[in-house]
């Protein structure tokens, strides 16, 4: 086996001004994209990423993501995303993140859970069978990720429908389904721009239940759990003989004042 790389990867990014909102803070969706890019760079460099998996008809899909930020990078800020594997089982692996300034101050952290699927059957596949379980060589247990893991979002059956949207070309990623971060952006659009003049997300959780595809219509249900804390349920409309809704993901957001 070739010499192993470091277990923790560190990647530099820039809060580009047109990726920032009206408060000059980086959009959470773009931060999420940077985190997923760091995960891709980390896994590709170590031999179990998409560039190895795709030719053998496998791919990584995001199952859960939690982002908790005490600060958010401002326009033109350079920052680092660190990422590492916390654990690896047959069908799921835990990957953590830290977001750091160039002065090493901590903006926040992330926790994620990933599954590997067969791109032809769309069914889960054994992560530990890839390259004789190479991923196990990169499990890092000493580095701390102090935020709590994702919770199980509970939402009432009578939660009101807030919005229904159609999905299109720009919602779909290389895996052929609605992009993980696009759900985050659509969820954050449930509040108007004046809300974001006063509040920003402090913690964002999302759990993906089923795939949605280009052309699916998504329904967004929202309820307030506590002050400035909300639960969201997203379904897709299935057109058969009768209209039916299938849940695709759930989310929880906590806002704080800017």
């Amino acid at each position: 086996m070739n010499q192993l790389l470091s277990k923790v990867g560190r990647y530099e990014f820039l809060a580009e001004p047109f990726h920032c909102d009206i408060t000059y803070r980086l959009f959470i969706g773009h931060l999420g994209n940077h985190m997923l890019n760091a995960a891709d760079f980390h896994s590709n460099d170590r031999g179990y990423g998409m560039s190895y998996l795709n030719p053998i008809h496998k791919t990584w899909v995001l199952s859960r993501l939690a982002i908790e930020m005490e600060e958010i990078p401002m326009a033109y800020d350079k920052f680092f995303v660190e990422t590492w594997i916390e654990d690896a089982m047959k069908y799921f692996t835990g990957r953590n993140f830290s977001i750091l300034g160039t002065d090493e101050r901590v903006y926040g952290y992330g926790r994620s859970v990933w599954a590997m699927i067969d791109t032809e059957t769309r069914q889960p596949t054994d992560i530990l069978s890839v390259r004789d379980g190479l991923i196990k060589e990169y499990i890092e247990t000493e580095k701390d990720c102090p935020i709590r893991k994702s919770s199980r979002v509970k939402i009432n059956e009578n939660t009101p429908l807030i919005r229904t949207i159609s999905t299109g070309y720009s919602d779909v990623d290389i895996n052929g389904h609605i992009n993980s971060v696009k759900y985050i952006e659509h969820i954050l659009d449930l509040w108007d721009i004046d809300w974001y003049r006063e509040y920003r997300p402090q913690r964002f959780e999302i759990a993906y239940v089923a795939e949605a595809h280009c052309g699916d219509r998504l329904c967004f249900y929202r309820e307030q759990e506590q002050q400035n804390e909300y639960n969201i349920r997203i379904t897709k409309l299935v057109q058969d003989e009768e209209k039916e809704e299938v849940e695709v993901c759930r989310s929880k957001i906590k806002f704080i004042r800017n």
Side-chain angles (χ1 to χ4, degrees):
M1 182 182 293
N2 295 331
Q3 184 175 2
L4 294 176
L5 301 177
S6 61
K7 293 181 178 180
V8 179
R10 172 181 276 216
Y11 307 93
E12 185 176 29
F13 296 97
L14 171 69
E16 299 175 53
F18 294 104
H19 290 169
C20 297
D21 69 9
I22 56 170
T23 68
Y24 291 80
R25 292 180 176 87
L26 184 66
F27 278 115
I28 293 296
H30 282 289
L31 175 62
N33 263 326
H34 293 320
M35 293 167 70
L36 300 192
N37 281 330
D40 183 61
F41 299 153
H42 182 268
S43 58
N44 272 330
D45 290 345
R46 286 152 184 79
Y48 48 85
M50 303 268 272
S51 55
Y52 174 77
L53 293 175
N54 286 172
I56 60 172
H57 309 293
K58 302 180 192 298
T59 192
W60 288 109
V61 292
L62 184 61
S63 177
R64 289 176 175 269
L65 177 65
I67 303 172
E68 190 166 317
M69 304 294 291
E70 289 305 314
E71 295 182 63
I72 297 176
M74 304 291 287
Y76 299 104
D77 282 352
K78 292 181 179 179
F79 62 95
F80 298 104
V81 176
E82 291 186 337
T83 185
W84 63 98
I85 297 294
E86 182 180 56
D87 55 52
M89 295 169 284
K90 185 173 183 178
Y91 292 120
F92 293 98
T93 183
R95 174 181 286 280
N96 296 338
F97 303 89
S98 59
I99 298 91
L100 309 166
T102 54
D103 58 358
E104 298 299 314
R105 77 181 187 277
V106 178
Y107 287 110
Y109 294 92
R111 286 184 175 273
S112 61
V113 177
W114 298 74
M116 187 182 292
I117 65 168
D118 185 296
T119 55
E120 295 177 336
T121 67
R122 311 305 290 182
Q123 295 301 308
T125 189
D126 185 356
I127 294 169
L128 303 181
S129 70
V130 172
R131 291 196 157 170
D132 298 319
L134 175 62
I135 193 172
K136 293 189 293 183
E137 301 293 330
Y138 285 104
I139 294 174
E140 170 58 68
T141 58
E142 300 300 318
K143 189 171 177 61
D144 187 34
C145 184
I147 68 171
R148 68 184 186 277
K149 295 182 178 181
S150 294
S151 57
R152 293 199 174 275
V153 179
K154 296 180 180 179
I155 194 161
N156 295 319
E157 290 185 3
N158 59 352
T159 298
L161 175 66
I162 301 297
R163 180 172 297 162
T164 301
I165 66 167
S166 296
T167 56
Y169 158 76
S170 62
D171 290 305
V172 180
D173 64 19
I174 61 174
N175 283 328
H177 57 206
I178 303 304
N179 180 268
S180 303
V181 170
K182 284 294 183 176
Y183 288 109
I184 296 174
E185 294 176 347
H186 290 316
I187 289 168
L188 293 173
D189 283 344
L190 298 177
W191 288 264
D192 64 26
I193 198 166
D194 288 335
W195 173 265
Y196 291 103
R197 298 183 196 277
E198 189 172 354
Y199 296 97
R200 63 176 175 84
Q202 181 184 39
R203 181 177 171 91
F204 188 103
E205 298 179 25
I206 188 165
Y208 302 93
V209 179
E211 292 181 306
H213 301 90
C214 187
D216 285 343
R217 288 182 59 78
L218 301 180
C219 302
F220 294 78
Y221 298 84
R222 185 183 70 189
E223 68 176 10
Q224 185 169 354
E225 184 177 32
Q226 301 181 46
Q227 184 177 11
N228 298 334
E229 290 190 31
Y230 297 85
N231 296 331
I232 295 95
R233 177 175 182 252
I234 305 176
T235 66
K236 63 179 179 180
L237 291 172
V238 178
Q239 297 292 342
D240 292 321
E241 294 181 5
E242 295 182 6
K243 185 184 293 185
E244 179 188 353
E245 293 184 43
V246 174
E247 183 173 294
V248 293
C249 65
R250 291 193 180 197
S251 177
K252 178 187 288 287
I253 310 176
K254 179 180 180 181
F255 291 96
I256 59 170
R257 290 188 180 275
N258 288 326

